Amino acid sequence: MTELIFVRHGVTDWNREKRLQGHTDIALNREGRQQAARVAKALQHEVFDAFYSSDLSRALETAQTVASHRAQVVLPQPELRERHYGLFEGVPQHELPQRFPQAYANLKVRDPHADLPGGESLHDFYQRISTYVQLLVQQHPAQRLFIATHGGVLDCIYRLCTATPLSAPRAWELPNTGINRVRHEGNEFKLMVWADTQHLLDPDVQLETEHL
């Protein structure tokens, strides 16, 4: 059995502004760093054999915060990036229907094979994520992995574990720094815990850079 602990990155300014980030490298904001500190505290006593992360800074900083008191390095991987949203990236979501009417309609109905302008189809995105996660469990049999990544990636993981079609509407949460526990046994991925955010209620965690 291989255990994978997936954590979505902390909040960014673009999350709060409701802009699709995709491959655009947007850093954590102050709230996001606070969230990363809280998830690090929640996981401080857990042992991990390896730390992986998307190579985008919002995920990488989240992973590095969790790994910071351990003698382990975070391995940044472009395969764990968010979906590439192409020309959608950085555009306020309320403007998308007017600027890209057909492409936005395809996005809303979750057409797996529709290409986004300059971006990545849902099918190609899912194949990228599922293929890479399968590779990770092959490389780490009977180990525990920490993986910091993105909301869209976690949506793919949920669907992989539950055999939910890509075209089905999402009915599960993808909170920033939520803890998601997955096990791989035999040839199956199983959800153990999903979207655990109890640590975000912890009042005792303070930012070290309080002046920022």
Side-chain angles (χ1 to χ4, degrees), residues 1-3 49 136-145 184:
M1 182 194 72
T2 298
E3 187 175 0
D49 295 290
L136 280 182
V137 297
Q138 292 171 16
Q139 292 176 338
H140 296 277
Q143 294 188 338
R144 296 182 79 243
L145 308 180
H184 181 264

Side-chain angles (χ1 to χ4, degrees), residues 19 25 27 38 41 45 47 72 77 101 103 105-106 113 121 127 129 152 159 165 195:
R19 299 174 187 264
D25 198 6
R38 290 184 174 186
K41 182 181 178 183
H45 299 303
V47 176
Q72 291 168 283
Q77 307 294 317
N106 293 337
H113 296 285
S121 74
Q127 290 300 311
I129 299 305
R159 293 172 191 274

Side-chain angles (χ1 to χ4, degrees):
M1 182 194 72
T2 298
E3 187 175 0
L4 306 100
I5 290 78
F6 291 94
V7 171
R8 186 183 177 192
H9 62 79
V11 163
T12 72
D13 287 341
W14 276 22
N15 284 141
R16 291 296 179 232
E17 295 167 4
K18 298 189 181 302
R19 299 174 187 264
L20 293 176
Q21 296 174 111
H23 284 201
T24 306
D25 198 6
I26 306 300
L28 297 180
N29 62 15
R30 189 178 188 281
E31 180 186 2
R33 295 195 302 276
Q34 181 81 44
Q35 291 174 333
R38 290 184 174 186
V39 77
K41 182 181 178 183
L43 298 174
Q44 63 184 328
H45 299 303
E46 298 199 27
V47 176
F48 298 101
D49 295 290
F51 282 80
Y52 284 89
S53 173
S54 159
D55 64 343
L56 297 174
S57 61
R58 56 192 183 271
L60 186 56
E61 183 178 351
T62 302
Q64 289 170 336
T65 303
V66 176
S68 60
H69 71 286
R70 298 169 168 92
Q72 291 168 283
V73 298
V74 177
L75 303 172
Q77 307 294 317
E79 292 88 350
L80 290 169
R81 286 185 178 190
E82 179 62 279
R83 181 180 178 185
H84 191 350
Y85 283 101
L87 296 181
F88 281 17
E89 294 185 12
V91 179
Q93 290 188 33
H94 70 273
E95 295 181 12
L96 292 173
Q98 290 75 38
R99 294 178 61 172
F100 308 99
Q102 186 56 58
Y104 182 74
N106 293 337
L107 182 74
K108 295 299 289 182
V109 300
R110 300 189 60 86
D111 181 344
H113 296 285
D115 289 324
L116 292 180
E120 188 175 25
S121 74
L122 192 55
H123 172 268
D124 290 349
F125 174 47
Y126 180 82
Q127 290 300 311
R128 166 163 63 86
I129 299 305
S130 59
T131 298
Y132 187 70
V133 172
Q134 290 280 3
L135 178 62
L136 280 182
V137 297
Q138 292 171 16
Q139 292 176 338
H140 296 277
Q143 294 188 338
R144 296 182 79 243
L145 308 180
F146 176 91
I147 303 168
T149 188
H150 306 270
V153 174
L154 288 170
D155 182 73
C156 291
I157 297 301
Y158 190 99
R159 293 172 191 274
L160 175 65
C161 293
T162 59
T164 303
L166 290 179
S167 58
R170 177 168 61 84
W172 46 91
E173 295 183 348
L174 304 170
N176 291 95
T177 67
I179 298 171
N180 309 281
R181 300 179 185 272
V182 172
R183 288 182 180 175
H184 181 264
E185 298 179 87
N187 293 318
E188 294 184 352
F189 289 92
K190 299 179 181 179
L191 290 183
M192 308 307 295
V193 174
W194 193 259
D196 177 6
T197 56
Q198 190 65 31
H199 54 280
L200 296 181
L201 303 177
D202 186 350
D204 297 328
V205 176
Q206 299 295 324
L207 279 175
E208 294 181 7
T209 53
E210 195 67 37
H211 60 284
L212 291 179

